[in-house]
Amino acid sequence: MKKNYLLMMLFFTSTVMGQTPIITMIMDGDCTGGQPKMIEVYAQGTVDFTNYSLENQMNNGTSWGNTYDLSPIGTLTDEFVYIHADDPSFATEFPNATNSHVVVGTVMDVNGDDRVRIIETATAIVIDTY
């Protein structure tokens, strides 16, 4: 009986807790102008990105803003998404990513002293912060 209970708890935890977007990387490239600038987000489980937005604090700021709606991404399962500033160096430096889920967003023009977070759009609940 204990084995069944443990297996049920493991299944419940993995199915309920494993459906969220996670910020896995922020990059400030070493090409001209610090390009490409990119945020990598992982869809852990099946994630409906229409429920989420990105926000950032620029240049050591103290208020969150520059909201970027993630709705255009749609629904993904266990996949990476690359959100980058509008610069052609991204395609040059990451030619294989052009076949992946790539989104251009000017709000992602970030560097080393910026903070980024994913929020649930309807409630503003913070899902992940980097």
Side-chain angles (χ1 to χ4, degrees), residues 7-75:
L7 288 173
M8 286 175 27
M9 288 301 292
L10 180 62
F11 175 76
F12 178 74
T13 303
S14 66
T15 57
V16 173
M17 305 298 254
Q19 299 178 357
T20 184
I22 301 169
I23 301 169
T24 51
M25 179 180 65
I26 295 180
M27 186 185 82
D28 186 9
D30 58 0
C31 294
T32 304
Q35 299 294 337
K37 297 176 188 271
M38 174 186 63
I39 295 177
E40 179 185 76
V41 176
Y42 182 67
Q44 181 182 7
T46 300
V47 175
D48 181 1
F49 281 93
T50 61
N51 297 321
Y52 301 102
S53 298
L54 281 172
E55 290 184 326
N56 66 5
Q57 288 180 347
M58 300 290 285
N59 299 321
N60 207 19
T62 57
S63 61
W64 292 96
N66 300 320
T67 303
Y68 181 74
D69 180 19
L70 296 175
S71 292
I73 297 170
T75 300

Side-chain angles (χ1 to χ4, degrees), residues 82-99:
Y82 301 95
I83 304 156
H84 68 90
D86 190 11
D87 184 272
S89 65
F90 179 82
T92 303
E93 297 297 318
F94 298 95
N96 293 336
T98 56
N99 296 328

